[in-house]
């Protein structure tokens, strides 16, 4: 009976594995959860996490160190949700594609180990968040292995893809595996665009235990908005590149890119776009996005470069690197405490995180209802005994 009271009246507790700088925590706590324990092994990320949530990380215990050195007896009891944003280095299209058992991405198996070692006290729901490359890694075998690992712990698994572009002007699709001890009945779920055709193979595999939870229609993908989040700064700000560097930027553009930029330069209104530096036939070139949306923020690890901001209009063009504040805004964390954070530290950390509003939407519309299902289940058992 005590468990029913705690679940019904309090904010369900969360174990936050691979916490990074705590963007999953921001989204989960916004949707009604409370992080009770967190872990990461990168000192710079821990520093940012603590600058945001306090030296003691608020109400949460923060374990600094490799997840491989964590044991189940170090975890607080009574958590309702486990969240794991495990490393994607070996799963990303920009990475090695070594798979779920290679390099840093193999840390997933320590997440599974800890859930297993928690025994009957393991959380009601466990989430794995990762790049969509997990779905195709090793021909889908890695995704099946992840689902099977949760199955072996008594969970049924739902698989979704959710793009941060539904909430912020950044193209950032991510994969979410939602593992539930007491899943909802799939026959109550209408088809959802969050389970596209390329994910259906996991549901048709008879060796896997899966479910499809009912979901509301998600927000539509944004078509614009980057210009609205650009950090205000005068044209004289030293962060804008000098004239010779801006000329080199324009000179590197392909004919198609150059024509696009020339048209936007002629605009009477200021136009902002993002740009990536690519290597084409061994030559570094710049490519400017045609729309008012940012490309996916990434870390330098994995072969991706930083994004630049291009300001055009009135026959002028200015170029600079994207700022930490713009990274934060594109991740839905515009009020994140950046006062003592180095620029490269911030860019790396935000590029390696999950977007806050995507987590918040998932928490409100999927995870919290799953947790509340347990309250209803326990209530039914209590009435049956009574």
């Amino acid at each position: 009976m005590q468990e029913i009271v705690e679940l019904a009246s309090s904010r369900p507790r969360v174990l936050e594995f691979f916490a990074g700088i705590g963007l999953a925590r921001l989204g989960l706590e916004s949707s009604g959860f409370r992080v009770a324990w967190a872990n990461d092994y990168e000192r710079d990320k821990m520093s940012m996490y603590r600058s945001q949530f306090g030296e003691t990380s608020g109400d949460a215990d923060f374990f600094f160190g490799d997840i491989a050195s964590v044991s189940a007896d170090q975890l607080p009891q009574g958590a309702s949700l486990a969240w794991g944003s495990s490393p994607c280095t070996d799963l990303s299209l920009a990475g090695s594609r070594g798979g779920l058992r290679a390099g840093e991405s193999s840390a997933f198996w320590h997440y599974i180990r800890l859930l297993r070692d928690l025994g009957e006290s393991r959380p009601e729901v466990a989430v794995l968040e990762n790049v969509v490359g997990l779905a195709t890694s090793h021909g889908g075998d890695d995704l099946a292995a992840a689902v099977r690992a949760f199955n072996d712990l008594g969970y049924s698994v739902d698989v979704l893809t959710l793009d941060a572009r539904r909430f912020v002007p950044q193209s950032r699709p991510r994969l979410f595996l939602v593992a539930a001890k007491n899943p909802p009945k799939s026959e109550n779920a209408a088809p959802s665009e969050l389970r596209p055709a390329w994910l259906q193979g996991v549901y048709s595999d008879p060796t896997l235990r899966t479910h499809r939870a009912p979901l509301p229609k998600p927000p539509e993908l944004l078509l614009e908005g980057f210009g609205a989040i650009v950090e205000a700064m005068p044209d004289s700000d030293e962060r804008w590149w000098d004239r010779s560097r801006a000329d080199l930027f324009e000179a590197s553009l392909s004919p198609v890119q150059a024509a696009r930029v020339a048209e936007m330069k002629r605009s009477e209104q200021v136009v902002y776009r993002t740009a990536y530096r690519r290597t084409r036939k061994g030559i570094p070139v710049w490519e400017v996005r045609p729309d008012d949306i940012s490309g996916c923020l990434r870390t330098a690890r994995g072969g991706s470069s930083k994004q630049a901001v291009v300001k055009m209009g009135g026959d002028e063009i200015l170029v600079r690197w994207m700022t930490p504040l713009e990274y934060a805004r594109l991740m839905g964390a515009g009020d994140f405490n950046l006062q003592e954070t180095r620029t490269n530290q911030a860019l790396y950390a935000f590029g390696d995180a999950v977007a806050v509003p995507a987590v918040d939407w998932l928490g409100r519309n999927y995870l919290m209802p799953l947790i509340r299902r347990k309250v209803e289940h326990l209530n039914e058992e209590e009435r049956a005994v009574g």
Side-chain angles (χ1 to χ4, degrees):
M1 185 63 183
Q2 180 63 29
E3 185 178 15
I4 300 175
V5 172
E6 289 180 357
L7 281 170
S9 63
S10 65
R11 294 161 65 88
R13 289 190 290 174
V14 180
L15 306 177
E16 185 187 20
F17 298 90
F18 316 103
I21 60 175
L23 298 199
R25 174 175 177 172
L26 289 176
L28 290 168
E29 294 195 338
S30 175
S31 63
F33 291 91
R34 177 174 67 84
V35 171
W37 181 92
N39 155 255
D40 204 90
Y41 74 102
E42 295 191 54
R43 188 170 298 279
D44 280 349
K45 290 180 180 178
M46 177 192 68
S47 175
M48 291 179 66
Y49 191 105
R50 287 181 168 164
S51 72
Q52 176 68 21
F53 299 106
E55 271 303 309
T56 58
S57 301
D59 295 330
D61 291 329
F62 192 101
F63 176 85
F64 174 65
D66 195 321
I67 189 174
S69 64
V70 179
S71 60
D73 58 12
Q74 295 173 268
L75 303 175
Q77 298 294 304
S80 298
L81 173 68
W83 181 281
S85 292
S86 61
C88 65
T89 313
D90 303 280
L91 299 167
S92 169
L93 293 177
S96 70
R97 296 292 274 174
L100 200 60
R101 294 189 181 275
E104 293 184 346
S105 294
S106 65
F108 163 77
W109 298 103
H110 286 292
Y111 179 35
I112 292 297
R113 169 183 61 83
L114 289 168
L115 291 175
R116 182 191 66 233
D117 290 351
L118 283 171
E120 292 303 311
S121 65
R122 72 177 60 102
E124 178 72 12
V125 179
V127 175
L128 174 68
E129 178 266 330
N130 214 290
V131 294
V132 294
L134 172 58
T136 56
S137 177
H138 289 161
D141 288 348
D142 282 338
L143 177 58
V147 173
R148 190 169 289 112
F150 284 115
N151 288 168
D152 290 343
L153 298 177
Y155 293 108
S156 173
V157 180
D158 197 355
V159 185
L160 313 168
T161 179
L162 184 61
D163 195 333
R165 187 175 169 181
R166 296 182 185 276
F167 314 95
V168 291
Q170 179 198 176
S171 175
R172 194 179 189 81
R174 285 295 183 268
L175 201 69
F176 296 87
L177 276 64
V178 181
K181 287 183 180 179
N182 298 288
K185 295 180 179 180
S186 292
E187 54 264 31
N188 296 330
S192 172
E193 59 194 283
L194 302 185
R195 301 183 187 95
W198 51 269
L199 276 180
Q200 294 308 304
V202 72
Y203 297 102
S204 59
D205 186 336
T207 69
L208 302 177
R209 183 184 173 213
T210 59
H211 66 273
R212 297 180 179 88
L215 291 172
K217 182 176 174 57
E220 296 293 336
L221 294 171
L222 297 179
L223 301 178
E224 59 184 8
F226 175 72
I229 65 95
V230 170
E231 182 175 353
M233 65 178 68
D235 292 354
S236 58
D237 192 290
E238 63 181 8
R239 286 170 289 183
W240 293 110
W241 298 350
D242 60 31
R243 185 69 264 157
S244 62
R245 191 175 180 184
D247 288 344
L248 288 173
F249 172 90
E250 287 194 83
S252 81
L253 300 174
S254 70
V256 171
Q257 291 276 325
R260 178 185 299 157
V261 167
E263 181 180 356
M264 288 187 282
K265 282 175 64 176
R266 290 192 294 269
S267 172
E268 295 181 0
Q269 297 181 332
V270 172
V271 177
Y272 289 98
R273 292 291 185 266
T274 62
Y276 268 120
R277 186 167 51 194
R278 309 289 194 190
T279 300
R280 303 298 185 199
K281 297 181 180 179
I283 301 174
V285 298
W286 282 95
E287 295 181 357
V288 180
R289 279 188 68 104
D291 53 10
D292 190 28
I293 297 293
S294 164
C296 183
L297 302 181
R298 294 176 178 142
T299 64
R301 186 187 302 174
S304 299
S305 62
K306 296 183 293 185
Q307 282 189 80
V309 175
V310 188
K311 180 180 180 181
M312 295 163 285
D315 293 322
E316 296 290 337
I317 182 170
L318 291 172
V319 187
R320 60 168 171 79
W321 294 118
M322 193 179 289
T323 68
L325 178 59
E326 288 162 345
Y327 267 61
R329 288 173 174 172
L330 286 170
M331 296 299 286
D335 57 354
F336 198 95
N337 182 5
L338 297 169
Q339 290 183 352
E340 299 180 4
T341 304
R342 303 185 312 277
T343 295
N344 285 340
Q345 175 188 6
L347 301 190
Y348 180 89
F350 282 110
D352 198 30
V354 58
V356 174
V359 178
D360 177 60
W361 189 90
L362 198 67
R364 293 176 187 275
N365 295 287
Y366 195 155
L367 306 179
M368 190 62 78
L370 269 181
I371 301 300
R372 296 308 179 198
R373 275 176 56 83
K374 180 165 186 179
V375 176
E376 296 172 1
H377 178 70
L378 291 173
N379 279 330
E380 289 175 359
E381 288 188 343
E382 186 75 14
R383 284 193 295 269
V385 172

